[in-house]
Amino acid sequence: MVDFTLNANVRDDLGKGASRRLRRNADLVPAIVYGGSKEPQSISIAARELNKALENEAFYSSIIGLSIDGKKEEVLLKALQRHPAKPRIMHADFQRIVAGQKVTVHVPLHFLNEDTCAGVKQEGGMVFRNLPEIEVSCLPKDLPDFIEVDLLELKVGQSLHLADLKLPKGVTIPSLALGDDHNLPVVNIMAQRTAAAADDAAGEGEESAE
């Protein structure tokens, strides 16, 4: 687990106009911290510091040490609002961590042996990733940076679903409790011809939409 820390300041000047001034004049990102037994708190974070942290994939699913005017809290990043046209963060939401209380977080998947799996190396198939990340539930101490998906034995025509994933101890996938319809395919191996046909169909669908 990577240790992440961010420095923040309490923000009293609220509203859309204040947020615009904050971003424009001080290169700060307006944010909010909520959850636990405390009231939601408006804060600001240096854009440069936040952007640097966001470059690390693990930041999105890790416990963050947030120092607000020198007082540290443990939080999770729950939402980001990005500028529609510019590489700029407009707003961030953080949720407080409560000891002994489970959290629900989106965790990235790391796919192993894509080039050497049976379906690709021996049968000439192609790997199709259906889910880049999954939502998991666990205690904060059990939160993984990522979950590995090993494709080594996967053959053409075979798939791995959510229920097939090997999860770390204490980690569950909440959607699986909702029934078999929610056991989504994570990754599958398709034959070259099938893959080409799928790409052609997708292209025709895009042209029709236009």
Side-chain angles (χ1 to χ4, degrees):
M1 181 74 70
V2 181
D3 290 327
F4 292 100
T5 58
L6 288 176
N7 296 300
N9 296 104
V10 175
R11 182 165 58 95
D12 297 318
D13 189 10
L14 306 179
K16 291 184 178 180
S19 295
R20 283 195 294 268
R21 289 192 296 273
L22 195 71
R23 289 188 290 264
R24 182 175 63 249
N25 299 333
D27 197 23
L28 298 173
V29 176
I32 189 168
V33 183
Y34 63 88
S37 59
K38 300 179 182 179
E39 293 294 320
Q41 187 173 36
S42 296
I43 60 173
S44 62
I45 302 172
R48 183 177 181 180
E49 186 175 352
L50 179 58
N51 288 333
K52 183 176 180 180
L54 291 170
E55 292 175 359
N56 192 320
E57 176 193 59
F59 181 78
Y60 294 83
S61 57
S62 293
I63 296 173
I64 303 160
L66 186 63
S67 179
I68 306 174
D69 288 341
K71 297 180 180 179
K72 191 172 182 179
E73 295 196 57
E74 290 190 331
V75 300
L76 286 169
L77 176 65
K78 295 301 291 185
L80 283 176
Q81 180 185 347
R82 299 179 184 271
H83 192 282
K86 300 178 181 179
R88 180 188 303 170
I89 303 299
M90 306 295 288
H91 193 275
D93 292 3
F94 296 93
Q95 179 183 350
R96 297 186 181 98
I97 294 295
V98 179
Q101 188 175 102
K102 288 188 175 182
V103 295
T104 301
V105 183
H106 282 88
V107 175
L109 298 177
H110 284 189
F111 296 88
L112 307 180
N113 297 309
E114 288 185 276
D115 297 330
T116 57
C117 70
V120 172
K121 188 173 183 178
Q122 299 173 18
E123 302 176 289
M126 296 179 63
V127 175
F128 277 77
R129 302 181 184 183
N130 299 301
L131 297 176
E133 62 181 17
I134 61 170
E135 185 179 72
V136 302
S137 176
C138 62
L139 292 173
K141 67 180 182 64
D142 296 324
L143 183 61
D145 288 339
F146 56 85
I147 292 174
E148 293 183 342
V149 184
D150 193 351
L151 311 185
L152 186 61
E153 303 298 329
L154 209 60
K155 299 179 180 179
V156 167
Q158 294 182 334
S159 303
L160 290 178
H161 290 70
L162 289 176
D164 299 318
L165 299 182
K166 295 181 180 179
L167 303 176
K169 184 178 180 180
V171 178
T172 61
I173 301 175
S175 61
L176 289 179
L178 301 177
D180 291 341
D181 290 345
H182 295 269
N183 186 21
L184 301 177
V186 175
V187 61
N188 60 290
I189 309 295
M190 297 178 64
Q192 291 280 3
R193 293 189 300 275
T194 306
D199 287 341
D200 290 342
E204 291 175 1
E206 292 175 357
E207 291 176 1
S208 298
E210 293 175 356

